[in-house]
């Protein structure tokens, strides 16, 4: 099917869409003809959020020719586009977490490490450029081409049109497991009995506020005086250090939204902007002197999605593992953060009758095994970030940004090592991988 210069999409029996379904003739009609091969790389990382940046950085530092694709025009994902402007579960750790704490001006507020979003954007650009990573924005992986259980590369859609990128190892850091789903990997999503996932959240940026950082009851009381019930009851204002009066406003949550469905996400974005505008107007009218000059600077630019596909790997991390503090011979990081699961059902509505109760467990310090980063159904596909293999309770812990960074680092080093040793990722010796990973983390910064 492939020539030296192009891959014909219409002829590919292995081609699948990002939804994971085989493509019919009607669906590929606009794609008939050859698609140019834009690049040949060692490691292709899809997704430029915390996990993707870590994966690309460590693959390149380990000696692999690395290309990072990101749909937005900047890196960072939840750190930047969503507006979660604080470092979570990263303090006191080595590797990229340490580099961020060292190179970003960070301030402690609400016992969190707050940074300026624009500072993070620029730092990520610098880090990847310093490592020799090629970054390509405005680009989304939309389909894959495979020879049996091995991927040859991905088809991308961008302002440059449809293109094909060949890669020896691919890392899915899309958050939603888009590449793995396109490759036909099995996955789980949401609750076991109805598929519902944690809510999505749109942030807003406000200016003109004269008070101190605030959260919870004090803010909800103002909104209720204005006749408004926020969809996210623990409303929070996170400051942007060095920018007087500028804060990130977290005040929305939307339930029952499938984060892999563009139509549902579009409706949530529109509703989120409406709610944030409403909140700002009420704060200005009913908040008193500190709020009288407040105004909305912007929303978004992307809604925050907490949970979608969890790709089936060679090991599935479970709540039992967290409860017992599981340790593994191939453990790529230790995690002590709890399971942060936002309510799946709208707290303002009556829950469905007979709703199964979640298991009672505590999170003891546990490890993520490297096997949870290896897609079970594809030989040369690694996972990084919240789409790694686990149940929804484990996801609530390992999805925190400082933790997904650790999965990205491990995936990047594994990809480079697999290429250097001419092995599939699953064939790597855990000891060799962990030794290289730990040494690279220790010397970062």
């Amino acid at each position: 099917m492939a020539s030296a210069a192009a891959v014909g999409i219409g002829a590919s029996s292995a081609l699948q869409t990002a939804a994971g379904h085989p493509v019919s003739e009607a669906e590929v009609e606009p794609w008939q003809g050859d698609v140019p091969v834009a690049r040949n790389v060692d490691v292709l990382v899809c997704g430029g959020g915390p996990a993707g940046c870590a994966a690309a950085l460590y693959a390149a530092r380990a000696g692999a020719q690395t290309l990072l694709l990101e749909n937005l025009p900047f890196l960072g994902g939840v750190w930047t586009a969503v507006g979660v402007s604080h470092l979570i579960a990263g303090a006191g750790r080595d590797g990229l977490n340490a580099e961020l704490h060292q190179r970003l001006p960070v301030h402690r507020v609400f016992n969190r490490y707050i940074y300026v979003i624009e500072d993070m954007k620029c730092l990520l650009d610098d880090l990847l450029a310093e490592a020799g990573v090629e970054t390509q924005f405005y680009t989304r992986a939309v389909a894959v081409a495979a020879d049996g259980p091995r991927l040859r590369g991905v088809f991308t859609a961008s302002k440059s049109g449809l293109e094909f990128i060949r890669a020896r190892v691919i890392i899915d850091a899309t958050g939603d497991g888009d590449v793995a789903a396109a490759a036909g990997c099995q996955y789980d999503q949401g609750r076991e009995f109805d598929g519902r996932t944690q809510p999505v959240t749109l942030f807003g940026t406000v200016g003109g506020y004269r008070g101190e950082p605030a959260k919870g009851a004090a803010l909800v009381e103002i909104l209720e005086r204005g006749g408004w019930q926020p969809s996210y009851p623990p409303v929070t204002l996170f400051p942007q250090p060095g920018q007087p009066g500028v804060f990130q406003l977290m005040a929305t949550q939307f339930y029952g939204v499938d984060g892999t469905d563009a139509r549902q996400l579009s409706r949530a974005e529109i509703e989120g902007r409406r709610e944030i505008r409403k909140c700002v107007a009420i704060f200005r009218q009913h908040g008193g002197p500190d709020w009288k000059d407040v105004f909305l600077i912007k929303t978004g630019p992307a809604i925050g999605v907490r949970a979608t596909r969890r790709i089936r790997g060679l090991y599935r991390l479970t709540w039992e593992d967290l409860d017992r503090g599981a340790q593994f011979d191939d453990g790529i990081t230790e995690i002590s953060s709890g399971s942060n699961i936002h309510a799946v059902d709208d707290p303002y509505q009556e829950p469905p009758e007979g709703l199964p109760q979640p298991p009672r467990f505590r999170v003891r310090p546990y490890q993520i095994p490297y096997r949870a980063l290896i897609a079970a159904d594809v030989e040369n596909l690694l996972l990084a970030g919240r789409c790694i293999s686990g149940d929804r309770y484990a996801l609530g812990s390992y999805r925190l940004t400082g933790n997904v960074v650790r999965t990205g680092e491990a995936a990047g080093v594994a990809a480079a090592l697999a290429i250097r040793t001419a092995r599939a990722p699953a064939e790597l010796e855990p000891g060799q991988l962990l030794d290289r990973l730990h040494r690279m983390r220790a010397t970062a910064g």
Side-chain angles (χ1 to χ4, degrees):
M1 184 188 78
S3 67
V7 176
I9 295 185
S12 174
S13 61
L15 176 66
Q16 294 187 314
T17 68
H21 305 300
V23 177
S24 69
E25 288 185 6
E27 289 169 322
V28 301
E29 181 64 29
W31 284 10
Q32 293 295 337
D34 286 339
V35 173
V37 176
R39 301 285 279 108
N40 285 278
V41 297
D42 289 337
V43 177
L44 174 63
V45 180
C46 299
C53 287
L57 186 65
Y58 272 63
R61 287 177 176 175
Q65 179 195 22
T66 304
L67 172 62
L68 173 61
L69 303 182
E70 168 55 46
N71 186 52
L72 294 170
F74 53 86
L75 299 170
V78 66
W79 279 332
T80 55
V82 175
V84 181
S85 58
H86 49 278
L87 300 170
I88 305 173
R93 293 173 128 169
D94 57 8
L96 178 56
N97 283 304
E99 292 182 76
L100 296 177
H101 279 267
Q102 292 165 8
R103 295 181 60 168
L104 277 176
V106 176
H107 300 255
R108 292 291 295 274
V109 181
F110 300 142
N111 203 31
R112 298 172 186 256
Y113 296 87
I114 308 289
Y115 58 85
V116 175
I117 290 174
E118 289 301 315
D119 289 345
M120 176 67 87
K121 287 182 186 178
C122 294
L123 176 57
L124 294 175
D125 286 340
D126 291 345
L127 284 169
L128 294 178
E130 291 164 9
V133 175
E134 180 184 354
T135 301
Q136 182 173 319
F137 297 122
Y138 301 105
T139 305
R140 182 185 295 276
V142 295
V144 304
D147 288 328
R150 186 174 183 83
L151 298 183
R152 289 189 292 108
V154 304
F155 294 95
T156 66
S158 70
K159 295 294 288 184
S160 299
L162 295 170
E163 297 178 322
F164 186 73
I165 299 174
R166 288 200 187 103
R168 298 169 67 184
V169 177
I170 298 170
I171 300 176
D172 188 336
T174 62
D176 301 319
D178 291 337
V179 177
C185 293
Q186 298 182 72
Y187 61 86
D188 301 295
Q189 185 165 325
R191 292 191 299 208
E192 296 76 8
F193 54 90
D194 64 1
R196 283 176 66 93
T197 59
Q198 295 182 57
V200 299
T201 292
L202 186 71
F203 278 68
T205 304
V206 301
Y209 174 61
R210 300 175 185 274
E212 296 296 319
K215 63 178 180 177
L219 300 179
V220 172
E221 181 181 346
I222 298 172
L223 295 173
E224 289 179 342
R225 284 204 301 268
W228 183 252
Q229 192 175 59
S231 59
Y232 179 64
V235 182
T236 306
L237 280 174
F238 296 105
Q240 285 287 270
Q243 299 179 9
V246 178
F247 289 76
Q248 293 297 109
L249 172 63
M250 184 179 182
T252 70
Q253 284 201 152
F254 302 106
Y255 302 87
V257 176
D258 181 350
T260 66
D261 187 315
R263 287 156 290 278
Q264 293 188 38
L265 286 173
S266 297
R267 290 193 292 271
E269 292 271 7
I270 293 168
E271 179 62 20
R273 286 191 282 272
R274 186 186 72 83
E275 285 203 10
I276 291 171
R277 289 197 303 269
K278 180 75 172 179
C279 289
V280 172
I282 292 174
F283 282 139
R284 185 169 54 244
Q285 184 177 359
H286 297 276
D290 286 342
W291 293 95
K292 67 183 182 66
D293 296 322
V294 74
F295 60 96
L296 179 62
I297 297 174
K298 63 180 179 180
T299 57
I303 204 162
V305 179
R306 296 182 174 87
T308 49
R309 302 183 187 101
R310 307 185 305 277
I311 307 302
R312 299 278 183 90
L314 297 184
Y315 186 90
R316 182 171 179 262
L317 202 65
T318 67
W319 68 267
E320 293 96 339
D321 290 324
L322 276 61
D323 187 55
R324 67 186 176 91
Q327 304 291 299
F328 301 94
D329 291 340
D330 61 344
I332 54 99
T333 188
E334 184 160 287
I335 294 177
S336 57
S337 49
S339 188
N340 182 15
I341 301 177
H342 288 237
V344 174
D345 299 296
D346 190 333
Y348 296 122
Q349 297 180 1
E350 287 294 323
E353 292 186 8
L355 191 68
Q357 295 301 305
R360 299 184 65 179
F361 69 98
R362 59 180 295 182
V363 177
R364 306 173 192 272
Y366 68 96
Q367 291 180 334
I368 295 177
Y370 168 59
R371 287 163 290 163
L373 278 58
I374 304 173
D377 303 316
V378 179
E379 288 183 357
N380 59 334
L381 178 63
L382 287 163
L383 312 168
R386 61 178 170 82
C387 67
I388 70 169
S389 184
D391 68 15
R392 66 187 183 98
Y393 305 107
L395 167 69
S397 174
Y398 64 66
R399 74 176 180 85
L400 301 179
T401 53
N403 298 332
V404 303
V405 161
R406 308 290 275 185
T407 67
E409 293 168 345
V413 173
L417 191 58
I419 290 168
R420 185 169 65 83
T421 59
R423 296 180 178 180
E427 297 171 343
L428 294 177
E429 293 291 336
Q432 184 181 12
L433 168 62
L434 296 180
D435 179 67
R436 184 70 186 277
L437 177 62
H438 294 328
R439 284 190 286 111
M440 289 181 64
R441 283 173 172 165
T443 57

